[in-house]
């Protein structure tokens, strides 16, 4: 019987990254060569002992919970390989990575995250020494990983420029979408109102306020704006409908995608956009900010529109125009689905990474 390689897959599951974790779990088909060991970093455990500690800040509780989950995941062994898909602090730091060949998959580098600054609530450490140590830790990781799988060329460029990673070890593999779950929807026979969909957990960072500004100023009629967020928002009128805390598996969320005609995400800070990919998979044209790795998703004017981050006028003009032109929406949405099928099929992209890992392990042996 052929020996299966035990590969640990360490993934964060907070907010949008949970989508990618679920996609991997759902699309990791039986593999004769790999035995996956899932190490999810959940950051919170309902009724957990840590979470019950009084007066302890929630951020510290989250880091403690993550630390314990990772420690449990590596309790008894090193593995044949480790795929590190999280920027979480590891127990023992890089010493844990040294115990087995390791690979990295990230949507953003720590340097890029810090550069976003206030938008992400990130700040440079007040003590320069800590910033230097963190940079050196990640520099070591990028240089010693057997292979690196950034989601975008934008992230890959930072790995090379900011951390001296070897370009020959970098393979840009975008995240995948479960195409069996996100199905294309025909929209040719629809009449008004035109449904606009926004999906963003952090309402302000994802540009929700810009959409509400459009609501207050537009002279167009015949539309409804559905906004999915975890934040509490007061709708300005009956045309705006707010939905709180709809998880990816919630049937209502998929219903909103299917009912929509336009997807709008004028985000102020993002490294990628899985929500935009899900919208494209259902046949929606996407209006989204040209930020981070997002320009590698949208073909401007073909599958959607890229707007400068924070550009209220560009957002308003495009929404007003798209509301009026059904044929354009349908044409762009159909092409968006074709693009997703070609480049963002979860099964295919996950398999690319796994085959690359196996190939590298053969060289190690």
């Amino acid at each position: 019987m052929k020996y299966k390689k035990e590969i640990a897959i360490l993934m964060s599951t907070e907010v949008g990254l949970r989508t990618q974790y679920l996609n991997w779990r759902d699309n990791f088909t039986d593999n004769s060569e790999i035995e996956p060991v899932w190490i999810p970093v959940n950051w919170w455990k309902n009724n957990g002992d840590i979470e019950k500690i009084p007066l302890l800040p929630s951020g510290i509780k989250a880091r403690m919970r993550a630390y314990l989950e990772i420690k449990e995941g590596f309790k008894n062994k090193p593995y044949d390989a480790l795929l590190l898909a999280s920027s979480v602090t590891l127990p023992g730091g890089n010493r844990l990575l040294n115990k087995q060949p390791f690979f990295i998959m990230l949507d953003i580098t720590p340097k890029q995250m810090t550069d976003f600054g206030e938008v992400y609530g990130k700040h440079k450490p007040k003590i320069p020494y800590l910033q230097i140590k963190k940079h050196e830790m990640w520099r070591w990781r990028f240089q010693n990983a057997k292979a690196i799988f950034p989601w975008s060329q934008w992230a890959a460029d930072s790995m090379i420029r900011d951390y001296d990673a070897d370009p020959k070890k970098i393979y840009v593999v975008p995240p995948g979408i479960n195409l069996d779950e996100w199905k294309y929807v025909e929209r040719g026979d629809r009449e008004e109102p035109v449904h606009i969909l926004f999906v963003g957990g952090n309402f302000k960072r994802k540009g929700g306020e810009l959409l509400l500004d459009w609501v207050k100023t537009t002279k167009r009629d015949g539309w409804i704006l559905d906004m999915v967020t975890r934040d509490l928002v007061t709708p300005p009128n009956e045309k705006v409908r707010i939905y709180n805390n709809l998880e990816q598996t919630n049937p209502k969320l998929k219903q909103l995608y299917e009912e929509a005609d336009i997807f709008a995400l004028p985000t102020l800070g993002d490294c990628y956009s899985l929500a935009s990919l899900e919208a494209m998979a259902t046949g929606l044209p996407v209006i989204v900010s040209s930020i981070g790795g997002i320009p590698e998703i949208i073909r401007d004017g073909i599958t959607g529109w890229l707007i400068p981050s924070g550009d209220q006028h560009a957002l308003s003009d495009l929404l007003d125009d798209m509301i009026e032109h059904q044929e354009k929406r349908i044409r762009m949405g159909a092409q968006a689905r074709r693009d997703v099928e070609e480049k963002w099929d979860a099964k295919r992209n996950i398999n690319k990474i796994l085959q690359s890992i196996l190939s590298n392990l053969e060289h190690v042996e």
Side-chain angles (χ1 to χ4, degrees), residues 99-110:
K99 294 182 179 180
Q100 64 270 298
F102 70 93
F103 303 79
I104 295 175
M105 179 178 70
L106 290 176
D107 56 348
I108 188 171
T109 68

Side-chain angles (χ1 to χ4, degrees), residues 77-223:
K77 60 180 69 178
Y79 296 95
D80 292 310
L82 164 66
L83 176 60
L84 178 63
S86 172
S87 58
V88 66
T89 300
L90 299 176
N94 288 338
R95 292 191 300 275
L96 180 63
L97 298 179
N98 249 336
K99 294 182 179 180
Q100 64 270 298
F102 70 93
F103 303 79
I104 295 175
M105 179 178 70
L106 290 176
D107 56 348
I108 188 171
T109 68
K111 171 68 164 56
Q112 290 172 319
M113 180 65 77
T114 300
D115 288 345
F116 271 122
E118 290 292 340
V119 174
Y120 265 98
K122 297 294 181 180
H123 309 279
K124 293 181 179 180
K126 294 180 180 180
I127 304 174
Y129 174 77
L130 296 179
Q131 184 179 351
I132 293 170
K133 292 296 290 184
K134 179 179 179 180
H135 182 84
E136 287 303 313
M137 177 187 73
W138 275 100
R139 186 172 183 271
W140 182 92
R141 291 181 182 182
F142 286 129
Q143 292 185 357
N144 287 275
K146 299 302 178 185
I148 308 169
F149 308 102
W151 286 12
S152 65
Q153 189 60 48
W154 171 73
D157 290 343
S158 174
M159 293 170 182
I160 297 167
R161 179 184 63 248
D162 301 320
Y163 299 91
D164 300 314
D166 184 353
K168 294 179 181 177
K169 295 197 303 185
I170 294 178
Y171 307 88
V172 176
V173 182
I177 294 298
N178 190 336
L179 296 180
D180 294 331
E181 181 179 353
W182 298 93
K183 298 182 181 298
Y184 178 75
V185 178
E186 294 285 351
R187 294 174 168 86
D189 58 351
R190 294 187 177 180
E191 299 179 356
E192 289 188 351
V194 174
H195 286 245
I196 303 163
L197 178 62
F198 163 89
V199 178
N202 186 314
F203 190 79
K204 183 177 181 179
R205 177 169 66 82
K206 294 290 186 175
E209 293 179 351
L210 294 176
L211 279 168
L212 293 186
D213 288 341
W214 168 77
V215 167
K216 298 172 185 176
T217 59
T218 184
K219 293 180 173 55
R220 295 287 186 222
D221 292 321
W223 56 266

Side-chain angles (χ1 to χ4, degrees), residues 318-333:
L318 284 170
L319 283 174
D320 287 348
D321 179 73
M322 292 295 282
I323 288 171
E324 295 295 315
H325 294 94
Q326 183 188 51
E327 290 185 5
K328 182 191 293 187
R329 297 197 305 266
I330 293 173
R331 181 178 68 252
M332 295 175 77

